Amino acid sequence: MKPPEVLTLTPGKRVLFLTKDPGLIRRQLSGELDLRMKDLRVEDLLDDINTDAMTPAWVCFDYKPEDIARNAYAGLIVNGERLFPADALRNGNFEVIVSGYRKGVGSSRETATQCEVFSGIRIAVAASFAPIHAGNNINQGLLMADHAMLARLQAGEGVPLREFYEDHDPITQLIIREGGLFPFSKAVARGEVELPVPHNAPRPMTMGEKILARHMRGVGDDERYIKPGDAVVVDVDGGYTHEFTTAQVHYFLEQEYGSDYEIPNPGKFAVFEDHLIYADDVQRMRPFMDKIETLRTMQRSFQQHTGCRDFSAKDNISPGICHEVAREFIIDPGDLIQATDSHTCMGGVNNALAWGVGATEYANLVHSGFTTVEVSESIRFELTGTLQPNVTAKDVMLHILLHYAKPQLTLDRIIEFTGPGVRSLSLDERATLANMATECSARTAIVEADEKTFEWIAAMRPGADIDALRARAVSPDPGAEYAGGVHTVDLSTIEPMVAHPGDPDHGIPSDPTNGASVEEIGDVAIDIAYAGSCTAGKIDDFLFYHQVAKEAVDAGLRVAEGVKFYVQFGSQAVERFARENGLVDTFERAGAIVLNPGCGACIGCGPGVSEVGEQVTVSAINRNYKGRSGPGKLWLASPLTVAASAFTGRIVAYQPGMFETRSEPLRYNAATIDPNITN
Ligand code: SF4
């Protein structure tokens, strides 16, 4: 619904202040207390409310926003109890919710916005909002205001709608004025809205700018020049959802366009069953199996209804993680790809522009074929040199996370990887670079293409036309502008790295930017080594795991006593390679646990998760946020480090030949030697 041109508070409706004092929140929820902005300071309000606190993962197993709203703020726990009991926000008769700085940090889940909107909130007030959360609010038609505007509203003043949108780009202004993304798209379809088109003089462009300019609607071929900050309407080449997100997309489309809705290009879009497929192997997920089954059923309905490409599980085995399969079979150079997952950026390895979006945005673009984008700034990493034999692209990204993402140089920018160092890497290793752009809080990443790129895609898709792939690829123009700078990274100087699990007692969160060299972390004993995920479940990752495992097995070793070493394929293509080339045989001889393709432990939904807080995991996945893969402490590391640590029982950097030269005091357990293995 379109918001009025002048906003006032509705008589009888209430304002909820999320105060640092939980007692005040309780009294407001019970109806005993109503507060006013003039009675409070901004410092009295909660800062950094994260989206997990607003809608924890278990709440997201519901797909209807009205059901999600029943458990709004279920993650705010005080003294072991929910501060917001079920239905508390909805039953409070609130229309405004007020907090401090950085509202909506954390994951990009759109459910955080839905829980407020479907509880009756129409204005969110905060000192600042996390960018992705702010975008979700705009798409859902939730107006955002600051504390001064609230004080005026509570004083009975009308605040012009213009004040809610005037600081945004021209297209976002239109979305806010129409009341959200769906109403905006319908107005565009009816011809009621005239979309602004940037008219820039010819200028050198980055790879990201070139791809967006190529997809821009409403301009002639000689006008395809854009710059950061431009708002553009772009055609989307393709995308995908998975069983954690598809149900909402289907539901939203039915709600907006009726149960007979259609999507115009189903062959360009796909569904995957990869995230929750092994959830029933995890004890704490079992209470939610009915809801997970509903999500699967909804995804099947969506696929049958739309005729989109189907990558469902067969015989309860996933075809693979969506991002791995998408780069194998779907994404071409020069494509603009949007999918409902934050690691969609991995598609940048194919020289495409790809990033994750919320369910509303995806539903809208899959229905209309286009989306709106504010052009991001770029940052470029010019890679030189070659990696040392015990270093991988994962170490490069942990280095970039520490030195460039931590000081926010990559924030909301498009990362470009270019240079001879990129060309020295395999496509699988380049995919790791692109994959972890989201951990850098970047918009996405794109890797410059070379002949290896086209040959790799053609090898995965027999019959692909290499000349056509080459013609679609983009390179940066000389003189293109990089607001984040151009940074040379000499690959030969990178050491084996980890990201440590932080120190919550001293306010250091578990974060992928917690980089350290393996050398400097001291003696860290492990219980679990996990080898898999979209970041590290590719063929080259399996060659890394195997390189270490083979050396260990040849030296008569098995996985260290007390350690579980899980090995999980990124896709069925990876599994086929690993089985046909004897890799799986080696893993089994080493005592590793070999798992079917899929996300699994990476999202806390499969074998390999920790069970108690004392357990220590070294993992090749991409993020170590607390609780993501079980309650234990999780260290991020490269495939080589993970595999080497599995055999030593401690986090160690791999050294070629390390298991033969036993003069070094490696603390693996000699009792693990398998008498059945001959050298
Ligand atoms: S493997 Fe992990 S990071 Fe990758 S898509 Fe699955 S859950 Fe997300």
Side-chain angles (χ1 to χ4, degrees):
M1 193 172 63
K2 268 191 181 187
E5 284 304 315
V6 176
L7 274 291
T8 53
L9 295 184
T10 312
K13 290 278 184 182
R14 302 175 65 211
V15 178
L16 175 63
F17 289 84
L18 299 174
T19 51
K20 286 179 179 150
D21 177 353
L24 292 179
I25 298 180
R26 272 199 201 96
R27 290 174 62 201
Q28 292 176 82
L29 291 176
S30 68
E32 177 193 330
L33 177 69
D34 279 304
L35 290 168
R36 298 176 68 81
M37 192 64 231
K38 67 182 176 59
D39 303 327
L40 292 161
R41 300 166 307 160
V42 175
E43 305 90 271
D44 297 327
L45 299 166
L46 274 177
D47 300 322
D48 296 301
I49 297 175
N50 72 63
T51 52
D52 277 69
M54 296 167 79
T55 50
W58 63 267
V59 173
C60 306
F61 289 138
D62 279 317
Y63 68 89
K64 292 183 181 174
E66 51 269 40
D67 293 339
I68 288 165
R70 299 196 60 196
N71 288 300
Y73 285 86
L76 278 186
I77 305 292
V78 177
N79 295 332
E81 283 189 12
R82 282 173 63 171
L83 187 55
F84 281 67
D87 294 320
L89 185 61
R90 200 174 61 160
N91 290 347
N93 198 28
F94 300 107
E95 66 172 356
V96 181
I97 193 162
V98 192
S99 56
Y101 286 89
R102 296 173 296 277
K103 166 91 176 280
V105 292
S107 77
S108 59
R109 62 186 59 163
E110 190 184 298
T111 49
T113 296
Q114 293 164 11
C115 82
E116 292 187 341
V117 171
F118 285 80
S119 293
I121 303 294
R122 62 187 183 109
I123 304 175
V125 177
S128 59
F129 293 87
I132 296 177
H133 182 65
N136 288 333
N137 287 347
I138 290 164
N139 288 339
Q140 292 275 315
L142 180 60
L143 294 171
M144 289 175 283
D146 60 28
H147 299 102
M149 290 161 80
L150 174 62
R152 288 162 59 199
L153 287 166
Q154 285 195 306
E157 191 181 323
V159 176
L161 180 62
R162 175 179 38 77
E163 294 190 32
F164 290 81
Y165 64 70
E166 62 192 356
D167 291 338
H168 293 279
D169 68 75
I171 293 179
T172 303
Q173 290 190 11
L174 290 170
I175 296 171
I176 294 171
R177 294 176 68 181
E178 289 297 327
L181 191 57
F182 281 125
F184 164 77
S185 284
K186 288 176 180 172
V188 171
R190 291 192 300 266
E192 294 171 4
V193 170
E194 193 176 334
L195 296 172
V197 176
H199 294 288
N200 293 309
R203 66 186 294 274
M205 290 192 289
T206 65
M207 289 191 278
E209 289 162 2
K210 279 185 170 179
I211 292 178
L212 287 173
R214 183 190 284 176
H215 288 78
M216 205 164 34
R217 281 194 168 186
V219 294
D221 283 346
D222 55 346
E223 293 180 294
R224 295 188 178 275
Y225 297 94
I226 56 173
K227 62 180 188 319
D230 284 346
V232 292
V233 178
V234 285
D235 290 310
V236 177
D237 290 309
Y240 46 93
T241 54
H242 49 65
E243 77 272 40
F244 210 8
T245 56
T246 307
Q248 277 215 326
V249 172
H250 189 35
Y251 182 70
F252 288 172
L253 287 169
E254 284 188 332
Q255 296 283 305
E256 291 296 325
Y257 299 105
S259 57
D260 57 348
Y261 78 86
E262 293 179 1
I263 65 173
N265 288 302
K268 291 170 146 189
F269 297 93
V271 293
F272 287 88
E273 204 170 347
D274 55 358
H275 272 64
L276 309 175
I277 186 81
Y278 312 118
D280 53 357
D281 289 329
V282 177
Q283 180 70 33
R284 63 198 173 103
M285 288 296 147
R286 293 209 181 115
F288 304 108
M289 288 316 295
D290 283 352
K291 289 186 174 180
I292 290 173
E293 194 50 46
T294 302
L295 294 180
R296 292 175 181 146
T297 305
M298 288 286 288
Q299 174 156 294
R300 282 194 289 274
S301 299
F302 174 78
Q303 193 281 322
Q304 285 158 9
H305 181 92
T306 61
C308 70
R309 296 179 71 174
D310 186 11
F311 293 91
S312 295
K314 293 202 173 51
D315 300 326
N316 219 31
I317 296 176
S318 170
I321 302 166
C322 51
H323 312 305
E324 172 63 14
V325 178
R327 78 183 184 105
E328 291 169 358
F329 299 117
I330 295 175
I331 302 172
D332 282 340
D335 271 357
L336 178 62
I337 299 292
Q338 311 266 271
T340 56
D341 191 281
S342 61
H343 287 96
T344 305
C345 51
M346 185 165 163
V349 65
N350 285 12
N351 192 240
L353 201 60
W355 65 75
V357 293
T360 299
E361 204 169 336
Y362 187 86
N364 186 66
L365 70 90
V366 83
H367 187 265
S368 67
F370 66 85
T371 193
T372 60
V373 172
E374 182 179 354
V375 180
S376 299
E377 296 175 341
S378 294
I379 178 172
R380 180 159 152 189
F381 291 102
E382 178 85 7
L383 305 188
T384 62
T386 53
L387 293 171
Q388 299 175 58
N390 64 342
V391 176
T392 74
K394 178 66 167 289
D395 300 296
V396 178
M397 285 314 295
L398 292 174
H399 171 91
I400 286 175
L401 277 154
L402 172 62
H403 295 290
Y404 300 91
K406 204 178 192 77
Q408 306 212 5
L409 280 174
T410 51
L411 181 65
D412 209 23
R413 292 187 165 129
I414 298 172
I415 299 176
E416 299 198 352
F417 290 103
T418 61
V422 166
R423 295 192 285 279
S424 75
L425 298 174
S426 70
L427 262 289
D428 282 0
E429 284 284 82
R430 299 178 198 181
T432 300
L433 303 180
N435 177 285
M436 293 186 73
T438 192
E439 278 66 46
C440 295
S441 300
R443 186 68 188 262
T444 187
I446 178 168
V447 184
E448 191 169 19
D450 62 4
E451 286 306 303
K452 274 192 201 172
T453 312
F454 314 129
E455 287 163 9
W456 185 89
I457 296 172
M460 299 307 294
R461 306 174 207 166
D465 180 346
I466 285 198
D467 289 337
L469 294 172
R470 194 183 293 115
R472 290 177 54 84
V474 292
S475 291
D477 288 330
E481 286 173 21
Y482 293 89
V486 178
H487 308 273
T488 300
V489 176
D490 180 353
L491 296 182
S492 67
T493 65
I494 308 282
E495 297 176 88
M497 298 281 294
V498 290
H500 62 77
D503 182 359
D505 291 344
H506 294 93
I508 303 170
S510 194
D511 192 281
T513 62
N514 291 343
S517 108
V518 178
E519 282 287 300
E520 67 194 30
I521 62 172
D523 185 22
V524 180
I526 60 163
D527 303 289
I528 298 168
Y530 178 82
S533 81
C534 53
T535 329
K538 308 178 288 319
I539 285 176
D540 275 22
D541 300 312
F542 270 73
L543 290 171
F544 287 136
Y545 303 132
H546 183 258
Q547 178 181 344
V548 180
K550 176 86 167 58
E551 282 187 27
V553 167
D554 286 350
L557 295 175
R558 284 171 62 88
V559 172
E561 194 171 277
V563 173
K564 286 193 169 161
F565 182 25
Y566 296 92
V567 180
Q568 185 158 29
F569 310 106
S571 72
Q572 288 190 356
V574 176
E575 176 172 9
R576 205 160 37 246
F577 174 89
R579 291 197 183 279
E580 289 173 358
N581 291 281
L583 276 60
V584 171
D585 181 51
T586 304
F587 296 136
E588 288 175 348
R589 290 167 69 201
I593 301 160
V594 179
L595 302 171
N596 289 322
C599 298
C602 179
I603 193 172
C605 287
V609 295
S610 57
E611 303 286 343
V612 292
E614 291 71 38
Q615 282 181 306
V616 177
T617 299
V618 63
S619 177
I621 66 176
N622 42 33
R623 42 180 58 165
N624 56 346
Y625 300 130
K626 189 161 174 44
R628 178 174 174 87
S629 191
K633 293 186 170 61
L634 191 140
W635 294 70
L636 300 178
S638 79
L640 288 173
T641 299
V642 167
S645 305
F647 290 95
T648 61
R650 293 175 140 72
I651 298 180
V652 292
Y654 166 70
Q655 294 294 342
M658 65 187 285
F659 299 113
E660 291 163 11
T661 52
R662 297 193 192 172
S663 53
E664 288 296 307
L666 287 172
R667 274 162 285 194
Y668 53 79
N669 191 326
T672 58
I673 294 174
D674 182 353
N676 297 317
I677 295 175
T678 53
N679 288 336

